[in-house]
């Protein structure tokens, strides 16, 4: 009888330890679940992936992904489902895990481009961004801003932030950081500022002003117009690897569809203006 009682106690102990282990595993899994921060004054929310996937607006979409360069099927919900009255919002900031920061107008997000927040599921993980490289297995998930009709709304590749960790309603960049504004405000230079805001500010600051720190400041300590010949600066923007390259280089190419020749010329004018007024 004593032997039977002892075996029964051991059995109960095993069950208790198994239950405790299951609680620990579940708690750990919940703690590690991806979270998206949503800041929209006066509201501030933290969405877990599972909570977003339960949103009634979630549906399956087929989209051509700028990050993957091909079509991919994703679970997603319209960004307007998370941010009401988007058309009245001047700017929305998307912050990625690596420090990439895209500031996109509410008008663009609510317009013809049809912006969606794609959500990577545990059951159907997305492929790695870099294929056939065991050292780089990260996908674009867990949260990725995608567009169903990017060409219709002239959506550039810099407006597809992936690995998003925070979405926040913010004032436009040039209002929050006046140091990026040119003192000489001719139409070409102001257009150059607009080109910088759309394509360059996602990675580069000017005079320390800006949200992103992925790439170097474009005016401190010096401006690229000061250490690049004009032809090579244009070439660097069009095809960075044709000028300089290294293993961890991340600067994308900007073809004429992304930045026209006229816009590129205006961007260079803006950079030259910023170099002139540095320190003044």
């Amino acid at each position: 009888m004593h032997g039977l009682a002892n075996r029964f106690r051991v059995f109960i102990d095993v069950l208790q330890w198994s239950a405790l282990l299951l609680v620990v595993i579940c708690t750990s899994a919940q703690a590690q679940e991806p979270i998206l921060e949503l800041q929209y004054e006066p509201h501030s929310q933290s969405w877990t992936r599972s909570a977003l996937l339960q949103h009634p607006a979630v549906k399956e979409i087929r989209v051509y992904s700028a990050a993957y360069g091909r079509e991919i099927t994703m679970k997603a919900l319209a960004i307007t489902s998370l941010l009401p009255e988007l058309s009245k919002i001047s700017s929305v900031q998307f912050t990625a895990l690596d420090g990439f920061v895209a500031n996109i107008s509410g008008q663009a997000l609510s317009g013809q481009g049809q912006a969606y927040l794609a959500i990577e599921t545990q059951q159907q993980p997305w492929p790695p961004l870099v294929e056939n490289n065991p050292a780089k297995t990260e996908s674009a998930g867990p949260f990725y801003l995608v567009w169903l009709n990017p060409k219709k709304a002239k959506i550039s590749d810099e407006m597809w932030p992936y690995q998003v960790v925070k979405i926040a309603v913010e004032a436009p960049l040039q209002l929050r950081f006046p140091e990026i504004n040119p003192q000489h405000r001719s139409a070409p230079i102001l257009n150059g500022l607009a080109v910088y805001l759309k394509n360059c500010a996602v990675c580069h600051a000017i005079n320390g002003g800006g949200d992103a720190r992925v790439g170097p400041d474009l005016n401190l300590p010096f401006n690229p117009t000061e250490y690049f010949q004009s032809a090579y600066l244009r070439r660097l923007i069009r095809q960075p690897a044709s000028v300089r390259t290294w293993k961890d280089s991340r600067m994308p190419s900007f073809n004429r569809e992304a930045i026209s020749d006229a816009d590129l010329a205006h961007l260079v004018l803006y950079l030259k203006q910023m170099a002139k007024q540095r320190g003044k």
Side-chain angles (χ1 to χ4, degrees):
M1 288 293 293
H2 289 294
L4 181 61
N6 288 335
R7 285 197 296 272
F8 182 76
R9 280 196 297 270
V10 170
F11 176 70
I12 294 298
D13 288 342
V14 169
L15 284 179
Q16 289 175 337
W17 278 107
S18 298
L20 179 60
L21 181 60
L22 182 60
V23 169
V24 170
I25 292 173
C26 291
T27 303
S28 176
Q30 289 174 354
Q32 294 174 7
E33 186 176 14
I35 294 175
L36 176 70
E37 297 293 333
L38 181 63
Q39 296 179 4
Y40 179 30
E41 294 299 334
H43 309 289
S44 183
Q45 294 177 286
S46 295
W47 287 86
T48 63
R49 173 167 56 187
S50 58
L52 279 173
L53 287 170
Q54 292 171 13
H55 195 288
V58 168
K59 64 180 183 179
E60 193 170 89
I61 62 172
R62 183 80 177 169
V63 62
Y64 182 88
S65 163
Y68 290 109
R70 59 184 173 87
E71 284 195 347
I72 187 169
T73 300
M74 299 172 161
K75 295 281 188 181
L77 73 159
I79 200 70
T80 51
S81 300
L82 290 176
L83 293 171
E85 300 183 338
L86 252 179
S87 60
K88 299 179 182 178
I89 295 173
S90 58
S91 182
V92 181
Q93 180 191 84
F94 293 81
T95 303
L97 184 65
D98 64 355
F100 180 99
V101 183
N103 289 277
I104 305 173
S105 71
Q107 187 175 8
L109 289 165
S110 60
Q112 295 180 323
Q114 296 187 54
Y116 276 76
L117 182 72
I119 308 163
E120 182 181 29
T121 67
Q122 284 184 309
Q123 294 76 19
Q124 294 178 311
W126 300 337
L129 289 167
V130 181
E131 295 183 346
N132 303 318
N133 187 339
K136 295 184 178 181
T137 59
E138 300 89 353
S139 72
F143 309 113
Y144 177 22
L145 182 68
V146 301
W147 306 78
L148 291 185
N149 293 303
K151 290 186 177 180
K152 199 170 184 178
K154 296 182 179 180
I155 303 300
S156 71
D157 286 354
E158 307 311 301
M159 298 167 72
W160 294 70
Y162 54 79
Q163 296 178 353
V164 174
V165 294
K166 186 178 75 170
I167 301 175
V169 174
E170 294 280 3
L173 206 65
Q174 63 271 35
L175 295 182
R176 290 186 287 120
F177 299 99
E179 58 268 39
I180 73 175
N181 292 313
Q183 295 171 359
H184 184 64
R185 301 181 68 80
S186 68
I189 289 177
L190 287 178
N191 184 54
L193 168 63
V195 176
Y196 160 77
L197 290 172
K198 183 177 181 179
N199 299 283
C200 312
V202 294
C203 292
H204 301 277
I206 289 274
N207 294 327
D211 296 318
R213 295 293 185 271
V214 174
D217 192 295
L218 295 182
N219 208 39
L220 294 177
F222 292 100
N223 188 294
T225 61
E226 297 173 295
Y227 53 82
F228 273 110
Q229 295 179 16
S230 181
Y232 281 95
L233 176 56
R234 285 170 167 79
R235 189 170 176 177
L236 175 73
I237 295 169
R238 289 285 184 225
Q239 193 175 6
S242 69
V243 176
R244 59 185 183 187
T245 184
W246 63 97
K247 185 178 67 173
D248 295 324
S249 175
R250 298 173 59 187
M251 182 172 172
S253 300
F254 293 91
N255 59 26
R256 287 175 175 80
E257 185 177 350
I259 301 178
S260 68
D261 287 336
D263 283 347
L264 180 54
H266 293 164
L267 174 62
V268 173
L269 284 176
Y270 164 70
L271 291 173
K272 287 182 176 180
Q273 172 60 34
M274 300 310 291
K276 287 179 183 177
Q277 68 188 57
R278 184 180 59 239
K280 293 183 179 180

